Amino acid sequence: MSIFAPNEYSVGVTKREQILNKSLHLFAERGIQATPMSLIVAESGVATGTIYHHFKSKQEIIEALYLEFKKELGKAFHHSFKQDQSFYQQFESIWRGVFEFYLREPLKFRFSQQVTHSHYIDEELKQEGLSHYQVFFDFFEAGMKKGEFVQIDLHLALELVHGGVVSLANLHLKEKINNLELNIKEAMQFAWRGITKTKSDQHE
Amino acid sequence: MSIFAPNEYSVGVTKREQILNKSLHLFAERGIQATPMSLIVAESGVATGTIYHHFKSKQEIIEALYLEFKKELGKAFHHSFKQDQSFYQQFESIWRGVFEFYLREPLKFRFSQQVTHSHYIDEELKQEGLSHYQVFFDFFEAGMKKGEFVQIDLHLALELVHGGVVSLANLHLKEKINNLELNIKEAMQFAWRGITKTKSDQHE
Amino acid sequence: MSIFAPNEYSVGVTKREQILNKSLHLFAERGIQATPMSLIVAESGVATGTIYHHFKSKQEIIEALYLEFKKELGKAFHHSFKQDQSFYQQFESIWRGVFEFYLREPLKFRFSQQVTHSHYIDEELKQEGLSHYQVFFDFFEAGMKKGEFVQIDLHLALELVHGGVVSLANLHLKEKINNLELNIKEAMQFAWRGITKTKSDQHE
Amino acid sequence: MSIFAPNEYSVGVTKREQILNKSLHLFAERGIQATPMSLIVAESGVATGTIYHHFKSKQEIIEALYLEFKKELGKAFHHSFKQDQSFYQQFESIWRGVFEFYLREPLKFRFSQQVTHSHYIDEELKQEGLSHYQVFFDFFEAGMKKGEFVQIDLHLALELVHGGVVSLANLHLKEKINNLELNIKEAMQFAWRGITKTKSDQHE
DNA sequence: TATGAATGAGCATTCATTCAT
DNA sequence: AATGAATGAATGCTCATTCAT
């Protein structure tokens, strides 16, 4: 590839990035196991050896993508969080920040869903990712201390709230949602009601 | 196989069932793609040809297990539902019924988690499974009509409520939950608050 | 299969014949190697075991069909041969007899073509079939003795004459021949000129 | 592979050629269906993957060999043809050219016989090969126009003449022919008499 | 850094055949 | 005679990875 005749990939995109981009695409659309290295080679326009120059193995590509995803998800949590707001406003910021990240990066979202529920990433690596959620943990603990939120296991709370974001993103990306804005509000308030204390409708 | 010399598998278990049982085990514990047919052969104590006598392909085993799971999950919804009870009691029955099914059948639960987020089952087959949730849809619609539940897309409601059950089952099976009974109550009430109307803490 | 409810195969056709008929069909149309026993089972409406009750192996079915073919071809030679006719009339009878047999039984013809040029039938069995051509050998030898036919190796003569019949049958069955009657005459006279002595156009 | 340590195959023979050579050998001697890829691997001294690096499938090896054969047969037709000779001399050149090609390349000849009468090559690919025979078609048409040859379908003429070459080559390679030179002359003149017009011995 | 031919263990599947009923 | 579940060696092929250039 001459520098005088840059091809379609050469404009500021390194081979490493080409490989990651195409891998993400293929993993998300076809599934990880249905994406052989040879296909990544063919699609990303590099040679077999070049992939193995940048990544030790297929597993390492998966892990690189996973870590990148977790980092960006962490950012989505972090950036959308605004101090000096009401708990509700903070909650909404986080919820929307993550949801919008998923809609903005549907490939990364789908890839993460696959990886989370498969055996591609070992528990250890999954644990590492937890640090990105610190913002949520801090937010939720503060709410609990103030008596605004129910007393609940932090991890469980994260899963319950995050699960709702994922569910709506999933349904929306599958085009099963008609009125998106309305359902965003519903899903969000579902979680908000879930975590906040109410006096009346407690049972037992 | 004579009735006088039954082998270790012969007590009322057909070869077909042996194959399905062992496949479920291996899929759940090692992952589907990490389970070659040769391993199923070795573990289930049948010959290669016997597997292909009963199932057209590995894919067909996966689909058979998926359909079986969906059917049983449908039963878990159905059997735990008791008419002539308060909405809350009905809700709790369903929630607990499904949750208990997951704890009773952790292999099926794990297998379903894998399959749901992979490309092994096509959309069409996934749609078929929806019929099993009719009990929930009926229940939720009744609650909406009576003004007890929030107005929300039925599928979204199912996902939001079911997502909580899955989250807790997941954390529990990974031994991340200390006080199970307490967290069951919390997760359940998270969902109950989520779906029920409250007067005070609505935002906007 | 009850005697009160004979199925479509039972009218005077034994299972053995069903198997042979369907095998011939499948071998001719798909090729021998592309016809697994399981397909013969499915198409002939018998059980696997039944085939192996009547035939020791797939090879034995092929050989049974081959021998049947050779016998019928022998008959085609024999029956079409009429003594007390001119050499040309005898030649024409044989040529046409064989050609008509091929058109009457295209499946047997195609099967024989496959088998002749493959390794399914060993040389020994092929030799056995030669006895059926005795009629031709006798006819040709008589013609040579009378000085009507050229002095030529008998086997070669058979191949040369028979080859023309096969060529035309092949082209006709592939629908490459427009005017069949004309081309029959041409192909036949090609062979007749070939085997008969002429004074003029010998070279050297 | 260093030039200082060439292995036993490296003298100007690419892996691709090794594979084709050995495949031809095995196909011709054992039959195509009796030649598993594993045997080609073992005999050609390459790895399984290497075969599939050069050929998409076993079918593609067969097709490559078939096309190579057809091309060389075309050359045999073409090169042996000499303009400015009598029709008989042209005929003899072609006949002998093809016959000698078959004797020179018995493996290719046997392979072609197998393939021609099996289902390995589809009609379309067989049609493509016809272009190689143009020399014969031109020669024969010229002879017809000059009134030297009988009026006969070109394809049929090709088959009738070529069939004789094949018959003799076959018998010779099976060592059924004693005096080869004599029988070459006989078979050739059989065809020559067949295609040339004679005044006397026409019937009807 | 980059290339792509070469590798070979491993995979899903086929298929002729056996055998208990 | 007939059945069809069961067998397992063998097949064509895949695919992550290595290595010489």
Side-chain angles (χ1 to χ4, degrees), chain C residues 45-136:
Chain C
V46 301
T48 316
T50 308
I51 289 197
Y52 283 89
H53 179 75
H54 290 286
F55 302 94
K56 216 178 79 218
S57 63
K58 185 180 178 183
Q59 181 63 21
E60 209 175 274
I61 297 180
I62 297 168
E63 286 171 7
L65 287 171
Y66 180 72
L67 289 175
E68 193 183 297
F69 167 79
K70 279 283 160 174
K71 215 171 113 192
E72 291 187 35
L73 179 58
K75 268 188 209 162
F77 268 98
H78 195 74
H79 287 161
S80 48
F81 180 72
K82 306 265 163 29
Q83 261 179 312
D84 306 323
Q85 289 189 320
S86 73
F87 277 118
Y88 180 76
Q89 282 169 327
Q90 289 185 350
F91 170 81
E92 179 165 352
S93 296
I94 295 176
W95 202 103
R96 289 199 113 104
V98 173
F99 183 73
E100 279 157 16
F101 168 58
Y102 288 160
L103 293 210
R104 204 165 54 239
E105 298 279 15
L107 296 177
K108 293 182 182 176
F109 173 66
R110 274 185 203 148
F111 167 76
S112 78
Q113 288 294 100
Q114 252 182 90
V115 142
T116 306
H117 299 93
S118 69
H119 294 230
Y120 286 109
I121 302 291
D122 59 23
E123 274 319 300
E124 200 185 349
L125 196 60
K126 279 181 188 163
Q127 290 311 319
E128 280 180 37
L130 281 181
S131 63
H132 297 304
Y133 303 134
Q134 200 54 48
V135 166
F136 180 85

Side-chain angles (χ1 to χ4, degrees), chain C residues 1-21:
Chain C
M1 220 171 289
S2 158
I3 50 167
F4 301 113
N7 75 4
E8 55 174 316
Y9 301 111
S10 65
V11 191
V13 183
T14 66
K15 298 241 160 182
R16 198 190 132 92
E17 283 166 329
Q18 282 172 47
I19 294 164
L20 283 175
N21 285 345

Side-chain angles (χ1 to χ4, degrees), chain C residues 27-31 33 88 92 110 113-114 116-120 123 126-127 150-153 155-157 159-161 163-165 167-168 170-171 174 176-178 183 185-187 189-204, chain D residues 27-33 88 92 110 113-114 117-120 123 126-127 150-153 155-157 159-161 163-165 167-168 170-171 174 176-178 183 185-187 189-204:
Chain C
F27 289 163
E29 271 164 20
R30 309 169 44 101
Q33 58 116 6
Y88 180 76
E92 179 165 352
R110 274 185 203 148
Q113 288 294 100
Q114 252 182 90
T116 306
H117 299 93
S118 69
H119 294 230
Y120 286 109
E123 274 319 300
K126 279 181 188 163
Q127 290 311 319
V150 292
Q151 297 289 326
I152 192 172
D153 180 280
H155 279 61
L156 182 56
E159 291 294 328
L160 292 174
V161 173
V165 182
S167 293
L168 184 59
N170 235 325
L171 287 172
K174 282 181 186 161
K176 299 266 173 66
I177 295 298
N178 289 320
N183 281 289
K185 217 177 266 172
E186 293 296 353
Q189 296 202 336
F190 174 93
W192 176 252
R193 283 189 300 271
I195 57 172
T196 49
K197 275 189 167 159
T198 52
K199 308 95 225 170
S200 51
D201 53 12
Q202 292 292 90
H203 288 262
E204 277 132 296
Chain D
F27 289 164
E29 275 166 14
R30 310 171 42 103
I32 296 173
Q33 58 117 5
Y88 181 75
E92 181 166 351
R110 273 186 205 148
Q113 288 294 101
Q114 247 182 95
H117 299 93
S118 69
H119 294 227
Y120 286 110
E123 267 328 292
K126 280 182 186 161
Q127 290 309 319
V150 292
Q151 297 289 326
I152 190 171
D153 180 279
H155 279 60
L156 182 57
E159 292 294 329
L160 291 175
V161 173
V165 182
S167 293
L168 184 59
N170 236 325
L171 287 171
K174 281 181 186 163
K176 298 266 174 66
I177 295 297
N178 288 321
N183 282 288
K185 216 176 266 171
E186 293 297 352
Q189 296 204 336
F190 173 93
W192 177 251
R193 283 190 299 271
I195 57 171
T196 48
K197 274 191 168 157
T198 52
K199 308 95 223 171
S200 50
D201 54 11
Q202 293 293 90
H203 288 263
E204 276 130 300

Side-chain angles (χ1 to χ4, degrees), chain A:
Chain A
M1 224 169 285
S2 159
I3 51 166
F4 301 113
N7 74 4
E8 55 175 315
Y9 302 111
S10 64
V11 192
V13 183
T14 66
K15 299 240 160 184
R16 198 191 131 90
E17 283 167 329
Q18 282 171 48
I19 294 164
L20 283 176
N21 285 343
K22 280 295 175 184
S23 296
L24 176 64
H25 238 94
L26 292 165
F27 289 163
E29 272 165 18
R30 310 170 43 99
I32 297 173
Q33 58 116 4
T35 302
M37 290 296 261
S38 58
L39 190 60
I40 300 176
V41 163
E43 290 284 310
S44 60
V46 301
T48 315
T50 309
I51 289 197
Y52 283 89
H53 179 77
H54 291 285
F55 303 94
K56 216 180 79 220
S57 63
K58 185 181 178 182
Q59 181 62 20
E60 208 173 273
I61 297 180
I62 297 168
E63 285 170 8
L65 287 171
Y66 180 73
L67 289 175
E68 193 184 296
F69 166 80
K70 279 283 158 174
K71 216 172 111 192
E72 291 187 34
L73 179 58
K75 269 187 207 161
F77 268 97
H78 195 75
H79 287 160
S80 48
F81 180 72
K82 309 263 163 29
Q83 263 180 310
D84 305 325
Q85 287 189 321
S86 73
F87 278 119
Y88 180 77
Q89 282 169 326
Q90 288 183 351
F91 169 81
E92 179 165 352
S93 297
I94 295 176
W95 202 103
R96 288 200 114 102
V98 173
F99 183 73
E100 279 157 16
F101 167 57
Y102 288 160
L103 293 209
R104 204 165 55 240
E105 300 278 15
L107 296 177
K108 292 181 184 175
F109 173 65
R110 274 186 203 148
F111 167 76
S112 79
Q113 288 293 100
Q114 250 181 93
V115 142
T116 305
H117 299 93
S118 68
H119 294 229
Y120 287 109
I121 302 291
D122 59 23
E123 274 318 300
E124 202 185 347
L125 196 60
K126 279 182 188 161
Q127 290 310 319
E128 280 182 36
L130 280 181
S131 64
H132 297 303
Y133 304 134
Q134 200 53 49
V135 167
F136 179 85
F137 293 144
D138 292 345
F139 158 73
F140 199 81
E141 261 187 322
M144 284 204 299
K145 266 184 194 147
K146 284 262 168 115
E148 294 262 349
F149 297 161
V150 292
Q151 297 288 327
I152 192 173
D153 180 279
L154 278 181
H155 279 62
L156 183 56
L158 173 62
E159 292 295 328
L160 291 175
V161 173
H162 185 237
V165 182
V166 167
S167 292
L168 184 59
N170 235 326
L171 287 171
H172 174 61
L173 291 173
K174 283 182 185 162
E175 303 185 334
K176 299 265 172 66
I177 295 298
N178 289 319
N179 188 334
L180 182 58
E181 260 324 303
L182 179 74
N183 282 290
I184 288 174
K185 216 177 267 171
E186 294 295 353
M188 202 162 59
Q189 296 203 336
F190 173 94
W192 176 251
R193 282 190 300 270
I195 57 172
T196 50
K197 274 191 168 159
T198 53
K199 309 95 227 170
S200 51
D201 53 13
Q202 292 292 90
H203 288 262
E204 277 134 297

